[in-house]
Amino acid sequence: MPGRSAWVPPLFAASTLVAACLTVATWSGWPSACAASGTLLATAARLHTAPQPMRRLFLGASLCWGGHNLLVGSVFGLTCDVLTICGLAIALLRAVETRTVEPEGLGVIEGLRASQGRGAGRCRSINN
């Protein structure tokens, strides 16, 4: 991966393996599945260098952890997850490229004004 030290991916792989072993050793049904999925997605997100894929993976991780906190009844954890999800959603939406759209009828109205002698002279004097 460009921009990362060579030791980073093996470190993340080793930490993911340790987390997987701990998850299996302490398995308790759906909460464990949600936590394991969230950890895996967060680890994958940290390995990305591009911000948008990283945000998407963190959003998935936060949704998984939100499911975990909902299942175990952690109000504070769920609150933190909701705030994180909102922040990530805002960041994802802000990065979407937008384009300028002009109303369709604008050219027709300007054409009518010019043909009737209204406004055409004013526009020329402003532009000149």
Side-chain angles (χ1 to χ4, degrees), residues 8-27 35-36 39-44 47:
V8 172
L11 177 67
F12 274 100
S15 65
T16 302
L17 185 59
V18 169
C21 290
L22 290 171
T23 301
V24 169
T26 61
W27 188 263
T39 300
L40 188 62
L41 288 170
T43 301
L47 290 174

Side-chain angles (χ1 to χ4, degrees), residues 40-56:
L40 188 62
L41 288 170
T43 301
R46 286 182 182 95
L47 290 174
H48 271 277
T49 55
Q52 285 301 88
M54 183 185 297
R55 288 180 186 128
R56 286 187 204 102

Side-chain angles (χ1 to χ4, degrees), residues 77-89:
L78 192 56
T79 302
C80 181
D81 291 328
V82 167
L83 292 172
T84 301
I85 289 166
C86 289
L88 287 167

Side-chain angles (χ1 to χ4, degrees), residues 60-95:
S62 295
L63 289 169
C64 290
W65 278 104
H68 171 269
N69 289 324
L70 186 66
L71 290 170
V72 299
S74 174
V75 176
F76 294 112
L78 192 56
T79 302
C80 181
D81 291 328
V82 167
L83 292 172
T84 301
I85 289 166
C86 289
L88 287 167
I90 290 168
L92 283 165
L93 291 173
R94 286 183 67 194

